Amino acid sequence: MREQPPYLRIADVIRQRIADQEWTPGDRLPSRAQLAQECGVGENVIRRAQELLISLGVLEGRAGSGTYVAAPRERLRMVRSQYREQRGGSPFRADMSSLGKRGTWESRTEAKVPAPAGIAERLGIAEGDLCVRTAYEFLVDGKPAQTSTSWEPYEITSGTLVVLPEGGPHAGKGVVDRMAEIGIMVSHVVEQPEPGQADAEEATLLGVQRGSLVTRIRRTYFSDESRPVETADIVIPAALCEIVYEVPVTADARGKPSASNDQPLR
């Protein structure tokens, strides 16, 4: 059996000392040098252990002050479901409203951006074909909760009132509503979640430590003709949010409940 890395062992020690109420929320931890001496390890090991616990929301770092025990944080429950797309307006705003919170976002759109190879494959277009790219920073009660970068084929929306997702009379509506305005019916969406770590840019936008655990969701909307009309890369910090998928259940021919194969997750 491989020996546990020293920083993980120290992280467990710190967590246990917090659990034993040696340190309580708001308390400042001893200096790294003092902890290193107490634990018989180098300061670099203490630093890595603290960075891990900061990414998990156990500790918080305060510039120029030190490292503190974080107050328990309520994780946002983000439900991914087919029903979220059947409402009018923004699904994110509706999701947050259901939690009694205010969901807002900031965005930056660029039109006529050549599609990189990976995005082109997801959209079923040629590499270099023009797209509309929109970068989002989603906020909950004014605090960052997730980021998303959306790509739409320019040929689909060019010359229409929905060419800019955050501009014109239909600004701020979800993909489903916007596409319906130009006669495209979105029939399903495919989402592929996977764990990851925040890079430097993501950490800055989300207000978390670099390397913090995140969930990445690769999402693609399809029309009723199975044509991809939008794809996005969503990043959600694991310490702040939990993601729940609702799977619809229908009755089969024998009247028994079964998970539907033709009702996609959204």
Side-chain angles (χ1 to χ4, degrees):
M1 180 181 297
R2 293 182 60 186
E3 185 177 354
Q4 186 181 40
Y7 81 95
L8 291 180
R9 178 175 60 82
I10 297 303
D12 286 341
V13 169
I14 293 174
R15 267 191 286 226
Q16 188 59 53
R17 293 173 75 170
I18 293 172
D20 292 341
Q21 296 189 332
E22 179 178 344
W23 301 315
T24 58
D27 287 349
R28 182 163 65 90
L29 268 60
S31 68
R32 288 178 183 168
Q34 184 177 340
L35 287 174
Q37 184 176 13
E38 289 180 11
C39 299
V41 297
E43 288 188 37
N44 190 53
V45 173
I46 299 297
R47 177 184 60 79
R48 291 193 64 188
Q50 289 182 341
E51 287 178 348
L52 172 63
L53 295 177
I54 289 173
S55 74
L56 295 173
V58 177
L59 301 177
E60 62 179 27
R62 300 179 188 175
S65 179
T67 304
Y68 293 75
V69 179
R73 290 185 291 183
E74 177 188 1
R75 294 176 76 204
L76 289 173
R77 184 180 178 89
M78 294 192 171
V79 178
R80 315 294 295 181
S81 166
Q82 66 166 349
Y83 305 110
R84 70 194 299 271
E85 299 296 349
Q86 295 177 3
R87 309 183 185 104
S90 162
F92 176 75
R93 181 176 287 146
D95 288 347
M96 293 304 102
S97 178
S98 69
L99 297 174
K101 299 183 180 295
R102 181 171 59 91
T104 58
W105 60 88
E106 299 174 358
S107 64
R108 184 180 67 259
T109 296
E110 298 174 82
K112 299 184 179 181
V113 178
I119 296 297
E121 182 179 359
R122 286 156 60 176
L123 289 174
I125 59 178
E127 181 179 356
D129 280 1
L130 299 181
C131 289
V132 176
R133 179 179 65 192
T134 305
Y136 291 92
E137 299 169 36
F138 291 93
L139 309 172
V140 177
D141 290 341
K143 297 180 180 179
Q146 71 179 56
T147 65
S148 176
T149 302
S150 164
W151 297 77
E152 296 178 358
Y154 182 67
E155 66 173 353
I156 291 180
T157 58
S158 174
T160 73
L161 293 176
V162 300
V163 64
L164 300 178
E166 299 300 321
H170 305 293
K173 292 187 176 180
V175 175
V176 174
D177 285 351
R178 287 179 49 250
M179 291 298 163
E181 292 292 335
I182 56 174
I184 296 176
M185 297 298 106
V186 173
S187 64
H188 65 284
V189 58
V190 175
E191 293 193 349
Q192 179 181 345
E194 61 181 24
Q197 294 181 302
D199 60 26
E201 181 179 4
E202 292 165 346
T204 299
L205 292 174
L206 293 168
V208 298
Q209 192 82 12
R210 181 176 179 177
S212 296
L213 299 178
V214 297
T215 300
R216 302 184 190 279
I217 301 176
R218 180 182 297 181
R219 181 197 70 199
T220 304
Y221 284 95
F222 293 85
S223 73
D224 54 5
E225 297 177 345
S226 297
R227 179 184 183 180
V229 297
E230 188 261 12
T231 193
D233 292 297
I234 302 167
V235 182
I236 301 174
L240 302 178
C241 308
E242 62 178 2
I243 303 170
V244 178
Y245 280 83
E246 287 187 357
V247 181
V249 175
T250 60
D252 62 17
R254 295 168 296 174
K256 295 181 179 180
S258 63
S260 171
N261 292 324
D262 60 356
Q263 295 290 339
L265 299 176
R266 296 178 177 153

